[in-house]
Each structure stands twice: as structure tokens, then as C-alpha cells.
């Protein structure tokens, strides 16, 4: 009897496979197990969003650090056609010991490929997913119609497998609450965990802080979309400028969806190009690091976030934080930030900025949290630990 005959007769039935050789690879006795890393959205387009920065950084460390698995980037095809290897475009085949991790946020194509995912689950392949936030569920008015429609379908799909990893405790708690309210029977079979986002700019840049200027410089970093409330910040600074406050507001973020009013507000300001700067087409890591080094504080007044990556980036440069008072920012920064009231009132906002300026004049502003030890490497290792993947 040949080795393949033994496999076909004795081994494949034990792991629940019957006539499915096109999906399940013939077992390779001397091959490492594989960690299939879903990179669907990045495969089709790099939009250079915060979510994609997270995907790229975690994936990079998976490839660099994991030695006990062959890490294979994959992408999903439309119409339930399954997953394919990035680069080779070959359909993936799985075998016992492999792991699937839905790292990228693919809310449109994951649900259409649930048949493939169910096959993996049936033969004992652990299937995990990563979640960035529950904003489309808790704040549906802040996202576009496509996301509003498909996000619940994506959630309904991913709760059927091994487990879900979030970027914060708040995100996972929000997810569990949603499952409890809609699909409580799923809670007992799911595993949960979270790993805070990391920070690693190129350590060879050696960016140095420039000479101090008398002008205060405030920085905002994120896509310019409604929930980020750039309109609130710009209106507040217009008040400050009208009162003679010597300050600059710099925005780093591509134009998002359905925010034309804010775009017009920024570009139509008499301070645009002077005290109001907008990098609307993206900048390099080196340019961004220069801004973190040369600014007086980071302002983050978003109404809802899953984590808030700019907080970590700013704190890693010892840049003071001015944050809206929402739970996730309290989780990330604790008492090491100056908090704005959770209100959309530019007059209150401008008064809080003046309060911060007075604190700065007496060296009384809160110092940012010590986050320099929280690297992308740490984040990736924690994810592996949660999934039970031995590095």
C-alpha cells in the first residue's frame, strides 16, 4: 500500500475530509504548517488609511518573526470563489495544522466566501479575525451607506469561527455586547482577545527637533471624515485667530467620504496656507515624524475610535496630547492627556485650547503616556499568543 493510499483511507476521513482533494492539499509530511494571512483590501488597493497602516505593520512582523509557520499572504475573490495567494494567484489548499487569520478589513468579500471558511472550520483549521472598531454599528451615521449595510453582514460572518482579536479592550467589549444582544448563542464557542497597536518609525531617520518657535503648532492626523470633527477644530481655531492667538493648525489626512462642507471650510479659510495647513494627499513617514517632532501638541477630537493610532505615534515623540473625552482615549492615554469636553461646540473648544496654553506657560500640561516600549513587534507577538500560534 502506498503512502498516499494510507493518507486517503485512514488520515483524511479522520479530519473530516471526504472527496475534497481540490480544497485540501495532500498532506506534506515534511512541510511547515502555514499561516494564511488575509490581505484582501491591500491586495487590490493601498488607500493609505490608518486601518491599512495597521495591516501592513502587523503583516510585516508576522513575516519577519514567525519561524514555525510559513506565512502566506492571501486575498479573497468575488462571488465566493475562495482565497488565492498574493503574487502567484494560485488557489490556496489547506491541510491539518494550518491557521487562517483575517487580518485585513474585508467587509465586502469575507461574507461572500463563507462557504470556503466553513470548509476550513469543518476540517479543524482555526479561523481568526481582526476587528478595528464597532463604529459602523454604534455610530452608523458616521459611515457611508456601503459600510453601514455590509458591516453587520461581516460581523455576522466572523462570529462563526474560532475567535476575534481587537485593537483595544473597548473594541472587544463593544463587540461582545453586540453579540450578546443579537447572537448570544455564539458567545460560548468564540474566543476573544485584544492587542494594543504599536509604533515603529524608521529608527535610521534620526529626526531632530528644530529650534523652538514662539508660535504654537497643533497637529491633527487622520482621514478627514465626518466623525473626526475637523470642522469643529477649524472653527475653534478661527475664533482663536480672531482673538490674536499665535498658533498654527496642521492637518495630515486624505479627504474622506461625504465631507465636502469641511473641505470647503478648510480651503476657504483666510488662514489656509498660512496658519492652517492641510496635507491632503498624504506625506512620507519622514515628513510625518518631522511634524510629530516639531509640533506643540496633538489634537484628536474624533467622536468615535477603535483605538487612535496617532495617540501612540505622538506619545512616542513625547508630544503632549489634547483629546476628546471618550472612553477609548481614556483607555489608551489615561490621565496623561488634556481632555476636551465631549461636545460639538467650537466656543467651548477654543476656551479649552486657551486653558491648555495657560497650562503650558506654567509647565503644567500633562505629559504623554510612556508608550515607546509598545512596538509593532509587541503587538504582533500578542496576537500570536492569543491565537496559539507559536512564533
Amino acid at each position: 500500500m502506498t503512502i498516499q493510499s494510507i493518507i486517503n483511507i485512514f488520515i483524511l476521513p479522520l479530519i473530516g475530509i471526504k472527496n475534497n482533494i481540490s480544497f485540501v492539499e495532500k498532506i506534506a509530511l515534511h512541510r511547515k504548517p502555514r499561516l494564511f494571512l488575509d490581505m484582501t483590501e491591500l491586495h487590490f488597493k493601498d488607500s493609505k488609511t490608518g486601518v491599512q497602516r495597521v495591516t501592513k505593520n502587523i503583516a510585516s512582523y508576522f513575516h519577519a518573526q514567525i519561524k514555525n509557520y510559513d506565512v502566506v499572504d492571501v486575498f479573497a475573490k468575488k462571488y465566493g470563489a475562495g482565497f488565492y495567494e498574493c503574487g502567484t494567484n494560485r488557489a490556496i489548499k489547506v491541510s491539518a495544522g494550518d491557521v487562517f487569520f483575517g487580518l485585513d478589513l474585508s467587509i465586502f468579500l469575507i461574507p461572500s466566501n463563507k462557504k470556503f471558511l466553513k470548509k476550513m472550520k469543518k476540517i479543524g483549521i482555526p479561523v481568526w479575525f481582526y476587528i478595528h472598531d464597532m463604529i459602523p454599528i454604534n455610530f452608523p451615521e458616521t459611515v457611508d451607506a456601503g459600510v453601514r449595510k455590509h458591516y453587520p453582514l461581516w460581523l455576522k460572518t466572523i462570529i462563526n469561527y474560532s475567535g476575534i482579536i481587537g485593537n483595544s479592550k473597548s473594541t472587544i467589549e463593544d463587540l461582545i455586547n453586540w453579540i450578546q444582544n443579537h447572537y448570544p448563542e455564539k458567545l460560548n464557542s468564540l474566543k476573544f482577545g485584544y492587542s494594543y497597536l504599536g509604533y515603529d518609525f524608521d529608527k535610521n531617520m534620526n529626526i531632530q527637533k528644530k529650534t523652538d518657535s514662539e508660535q504654537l503648532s497643533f497637529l491633527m492626523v487622520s482621514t478627514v471624515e465626518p466623525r473626526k470633527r475637523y470642522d469643529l477644530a477649524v472653527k475653534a481655531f478661527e475664533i482663536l485667530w480672531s482673538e490674536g492667538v499665535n498658533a498654527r493648525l496642521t492637518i495630515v489626512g486624505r479627504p474622506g467620504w461625504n465631507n465636502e462642507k469641511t473641505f470647503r471650510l478648510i480651503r476657504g479659510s483666510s488662514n489656509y496656507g498660512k496658519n492652517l495647513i492641510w496635507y491632503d494627499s498624504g506625506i512620507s513617514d519622514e515628513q510625518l515624524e518631522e511634524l510629530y517632532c516639531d509640533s506643540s501638541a496633538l489634537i484628536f477630537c474624533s467622536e468615535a475610535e477603535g483605538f487612535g493610532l496617532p495617540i501612540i505615534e505622538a506619545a512616542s515623540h513625547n508630544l503632549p496630547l489634547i483629546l476628546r473625552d471618550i472612553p477609548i482615549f481614556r483607555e489608551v492615554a489615561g490621565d496623561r492627556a488634556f481632555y476636551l469636553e465631549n461636545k460639538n461646540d467650537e466656543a467651548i473648544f477654543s476656551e479649552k485650547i486657551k486653558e491648555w496654553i495657560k497650562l503650558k506657560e506654567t509647565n503644567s500640561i500633562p505629559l504623554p503616556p510612556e508608550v515607546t516600549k509598545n512596538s509593532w513587534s509587541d503587538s504582533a507577538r500578542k496576537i500570536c499568543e492569543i491565537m496559539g500560534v507559536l512564533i
Side-chain angles (χ1 to χ4, degrees):
M1 183 178 289
T2 67
I3 292 177
Q4 188 56 53
S5 297
I6 294 172
I7 291 172
N8 290 339
I9 295 171
F10 297 106
I11 299 180
L12 293 185
L14 288 176
I15 57 175
I17 304 168
K18 293 183 180 176
N19 300 307
N20 200 17
I21 301 302
S22 62
F23 170 71
V24 181
E25 186 179 50
K26 296 175 183 179
I27 295 176
L29 300 179
H30 302 291
R31 179 186 60 71
K32 288 181 184 178
R34 285 161 300 187
L35 174 57
F36 293 107
L37 206 57
D38 178 31
M39 305 288 283
T40 298
E41 293 301 309
L42 266 173
H43 176 78
F44 290 113
K45 182 183 179 182
D46 184 355
S47 301
K48 301 187 184 301
T49 62
V51 166
Q52 291 191 318
R53 281 160 62 201
V54 173
T55 300
K56 284 184 283 189
N57 279 294
I58 291 177
S60 173
Y61 279 95
F62 269 39
H63 281 283
Q65 292 183 353
I66 296 178
K67 307 302 180 186
N68 292 312
Y69 292 76
D70 287 327
V71 180
V72 181
D73 292 344
V74 302
F75 68 97
K77 283 193 175 182
K78 295 180 180 179
Y79 314 117
F83 292 84
Y84 293 73
E85 293 184 17
C86 297
T88 68
N89 206 34
R90 291 195 300 259
I92 70 168
K93 295 180 180 180
V94 301
S95 58
D98 294 341
V99 178
F100 180 93
F101 182 35
L103 171 61
D104 213 351
L105 180 59
S106 181
I107 65 172
F108 301 102
L109 291 182
I110 287 295
S112 67
N113 282 282
K114 60 186 178 183
K115 184 177 180 181
F116 190 97
L117 295 168
K118 285 180 179 178
K119 285 183 180 180
M120 284 195 284
K121 178 182 178 180
K122 187 176 181 180
I123 66 171
I125 304 297
V127 177
W128 289 80
F129 289 93
Y130 189 83
I131 185 170
H132 293 265
D133 57 64
M134 290 290 286
I135 291 169
I137 301 298
N138 296 334
F139 301 90
E141 71 283 357
T142 68
V143 299
D144 67 42
V147 174
R148 195 158 52 242
K149 175 183 177 181
H150 288 276
Y151 206 83
L153 299 175
W154 176 71
L155 287 176
K156 187 177 177 180
T157 300
I158 68 172
I159 62 175
N160 290 288
Y161 302 98
S162 304
I164 302 173
I165 300 170
N167 56 4
S168 68
K169 183 180 179 183
S170 295
T171 294
I172 290 299
E173 286 178 346
D174 285 349
L175 172 65
I176 291 173
N177 287 337
W178 180 81
I179 297 173
Q180 180 66 57
N181 290 331
H182 295 87
Y183 306 98
E185 70 279 4
K186 299 292 184 181
L187 285 176
N188 290 335
S189 59
L190 269 171
K191 296 178 182 177
F192 302 94
Y194 64 91
S195 176
Y196 287 134
L197 302 185
Y199 166 82
D200 285 322
F201 272 122
D202 185 348
K203 295 177 176 59
N204 295 318
M205 289 184 190
N206 293 319
I207 303 296
Q208 300 296 322
K209 187 173 179 65
K210 297 176 183 176
T211 55
D212 291 333
S213 168
E214 291 184 2
Q215 185 182 47
L216 293 170
S217 179
F218 297 90
L219 177 65
M220 299 181 73
V221 180
S222 199
T223 305
V224 181
E225 58 183 80
R227 67 183 168 90
K228 305 291 185 175
R229 298 316 306 249
Y230 280 97
D231 58 330
L232 179 64
V234 172
K235 288 175 182 177
F237 272 80
E238 293 285 7
I239 294 173
L240 296 172
W241 292 322
S242 71
E243 296 175 349
V245 175
N246 184 18
R248 181 171 69 250
L249 179 62
T250 300
I251 296 169
V252 178
R254 294 175 181 272
W257 73 282
N258 194 28
N259 211 15
E260 286 74 16
K261 268 189 181 180
T262 300
F263 306 156
R264 290 196 295 270
L265 176 68
I266 296 171
R267 294 178 176 132
S269 170
S270 59
N271 286 280
Y272 185 60
K274 302 170 186 175
N275 289 329
L276 177 58
I277 310 297
W278 181 18
Y279 294 95
D280 60 357
S281 58
I283 60 175
S284 67
D285 279 354
E286 185 172 14
Q287 289 174 301
L288 181 56
E289 184 155 21
E290 286 178 351
L291 288 171
Y292 279 128
C293 287
D294 288 333
S295 297
S296 306
L298 175 82
I299 294 177
F300 209 163
C301 54
S302 180
E303 292 178 305
E305 291 292 328
F307 184 83
L309 183 56
I311 294 175
I312 296 298
E313 294 177 343
S316 295
H317 288 88
N318 204 34
L319 184 63
L321 306 171
I322 300 175
L323 311 176
R324 182 185 283 254
D325 197 352
I326 58 176
I328 182 56
F329 290 168
R330 288 282 183 178
E331 179 183 341
V332 175
D335 59 359
R336 305 294 289 271
F338 179 87
Y339 287 97
L340 304 166
E341 292 185 35
N342 190 11
K343 296 178 180 179
N344 295 321
D345 186 316
E346 58 265 30
I348 293 176
F349 194 124
S350 65
E351 287 300 317
K352 293 296 287 185
I353 296 298
K354 286 192 284 187
E355 181 183 335
W356 183 91
I357 292 172
K358 288 181 181 178
L359 289 173
K360 179 174 174 57
E361 290 170 349
T362 59
N363 294 317
S364 302
I365 56 174
L367 296 175
E370 296 178 0
V371 296
T372 53
K373 293 182 180 179
N374 192 48
S375 68
W376 284 114
S377 178
D378 297 326
S379 183
R381 281 198 297 269
K382 179 65 175 178
I383 290 171
C384 288
E385 178 185 322
I386 295 168
M387 292 194 298
V389 169
L390 297 176
I391 296 177

